[in-house]
Amino acid sequence: MEIDICPLTPDLAEDYARFFDVTPHNEGEGGIKCYCVVWRGDSSYTGNGDHWFPTQEERRERAVQFVKNGDLQGYLAYRGGEIVGWCNANANCQSGVNFLRSYWPIEEYRADIKVKSVFCFVIAPEMRRKGVATKLLTRVCKDAADDGFDFVEGYANAINTAPDFQGPVMMYEKCGFIRYAEREGKVVMRKYLKG
């Protein structure tokens, strides 16, 4: 099965939104889709701090805007010209990183350390358990190494009580990550890219 992995670019904003239109993922109250709008660049957090957006239509509109502005970053997996997977991987989402790190006893953010954070995976139902997320994560790591990042960090849930949109610990380990910190089933996975 051939899967092509492509960085999310502004010209793919509508394709990205259509993928979320039709793919079940982390639907909140009333079935409102997330469009992965929370994990985005810090510069897009303005105003009164509202970052979730109350309607599906607004989330979709904001997602397209964030992709076009470069605030929503990551990779798309294609099979036969159709999107079958998504990985949110961002280096400019310090608000999200600080929120997630607040669950674990690990160090504070340092400006001299370049971290690529993996926040979320969405895989089309018919493509789950076929290695798509692993291919996405592998590409994230390759590009992060090429771009001079110190490490890639993921935030997994070892106790599978919630939707596994963060990716399973076993997948991270398969890709060379280590368990860096763990508490109450929440695990920070790290892959060091230098020395």
Side-chain angles (χ1 to χ4, degrees):
M1 170 175 52
E2 188 168 332
I3 301 292
D4 296 315
I5 308 297
C6 303
L8 179 61
T9 55
D11 60 306
L12 297 174
E14 285 295 336
D15 289 347
Y16 170 85
R18 274 192 295 279
F19 173 67
F20 275 87
D21 290 344
V22 300
T23 305
H25 170 66
N26 198 30
E27 295 177 1
E29 290 182 30
I32 297 174
K33 296 174 180 282
C34 74
Y35 290 89
C36 215
V37 294
V38 173
W39 314 115
R40 62 181 196 268
D42 289 327
S43 64
S44 67
Y45 285 88
T46 59
N48 64 5
D50 179 20
H51 65 274
W52 187 237
F53 314 116
T55 68
Q56 182 169 319
E57 293 76 19
E58 185 176 5
R59 288 181 195 164
R60 186 188 198 284
E61 180 182 322
R62 294 293 181 109
V64 169
Q65 173 191 341
F66 294 146
V67 171
K68 288 182 177 180
N69 292 342
D71 291 311
L72 190 53
Q73 299 173 6
Y75 292 83
L76 296 169
Y78 285 85
R79 179 177 180 223
E82 295 291 322
I83 298 173
V84 295
W86 156 249
C87 175
N88 186 319
N90 198 316
N92 303 316
C93 186
Q94 201 54 52
S95 299
V97 170
N98 287 340
F99 169 76
L100 291 170
R101 284 186 175 182
S102 69
Y103 290 101
W104 298 279
I106 59 176
E107 74 277 3
E108 295 291 321
Y109 167 78
R110 288 180 38 195
D112 62 320
I113 305 287
K114 279 184 77 175
V115 181
K116 177 73 80 167
S117 292
V118 175
F119 294 107
C120 190
F121 293 90
V122 179
I123 308 299
E126 69 277 9
M127 296 301 294
R128 292 178 186 156
R129 307 249 182 255
K130 295 185 178 179
V132 175
T134 301
K135 288 179 187 272
L136 285 160
L137 185 58
T138 299
R139 177 66 184 271
V140 169
C141 293
K142 180 198 175 304
D143 286 358
D146 291 347
D147 292 338
F149 282 84
D150 293 283
F151 57 87
V152 177
E153 189 170 88
Y155 314 93
N157 189 348
I159 303 169
N160 209 3
T161 58
D164 206 10
F165 64 91
Q166 295 164 315
V169 169
M170 191 168 66
M171 176 188 67
Y172 284 101
E173 290 173 338
K174 179 180 176 182
C175 291
F177 285 69
I178 61 165
R179 291 179 186 229
Y180 182 75
E182 185 170 0
R183 184 169 64 199
E184 298 174 6
K186 292 177 171 43
V187 186
V188 176
M189 303 299 296
R190 274 195 186 167
K191 181 171 185 173
Y192 290 90
L193 303 174
K194 296 180 176 178

